[in-house]
Amino acid sequence: MNFTDFKALHQRRQAEHLARHGTRLAERQEDSFDLTLYAVAGFYAEIWRSRGEEHILFIHVFQKPAGLGDYLRLVQLPSGL
């Protein structure tokens, strides 16, 4: 699935796609939020949740490596990505 098709999905479908096809790269906390970063098919997706909650507030999707800035010290890319 490409970036445009993924962005067109409902959030629930995005989360399902990430669970099945995404590679979890890192987790971090910002203010009162837990964030999880995934790589999938040439783009990245960041899941935002309120700290300690399972409910997804939103999924931020991006392609540019500049979006990885807050994760660089945490990310260990698997070979092949």
Side-chain angles (χ1 to χ4, degrees), residues 1-7 17-18 21-23 25 37-46 60-68 77 80-81:
M1 177 175 301
N2 67 35
F3 179 77
T4 303
D5 292 340
F6 184 85
K7 284 189 71 158
H17 187 79
L18 291 173
H21 305 287
T23 300
L25 298 178
L37 178 67
Y38 289 85
V40 60
F43 61 91
Y44 302 96
E46 187 177 56
H60 174 230
V61 184
F62 60 96
Q63 292 177 297
K64 296 184 179 180
L68 298 172
L77 296 174
L81 281 183

Side-chain angles (χ1 to χ4, degrees), residues 50-77:
S50 291
R51 186 157 303 144
E53 299 291 327
E54 285 299 313
H55 174 74
I56 295 172
L57 296 172
F58 65 92
I59 299 175
H60 174 230
V61 184
F62 60 96
Q63 292 177 297
K64 296 184 179 180
L68 298 172
D70 291 329
Y71 289 98
L72 289 180
R73 63 183 175 78
L74 304 172
V75 174
Q76 293 186 18
L77 296 174

Side-chain angles (χ1 to χ4, degrees), residues 11-55:
Q11 180 176 286
R12 183 179 70 249
R13 298 282 186 226
Q14 288 178 342
E16 290 170 356
H17 187 79
L18 291 173
R20 282 191 220 121
H21 305 287
T23 300
R24 181 184 236 156
L25 298 178
E27 295 179 9
R28 68 183 182 94
Q29 294 181 335
E30 184 172 312
D31 299 324
S32 62
F33 303 103
D34 290 329
L35 290 73
T36 306
L37 178 67
Y38 289 85
V40 60
F43 61 91
Y44 302 96
E46 187 177 56
I47 295 179
W48 285 66
R49 293 181 169 93
S50 291
R51 186 157 303 144
E53 299 291 327
E54 285 299 313
H55 174 74

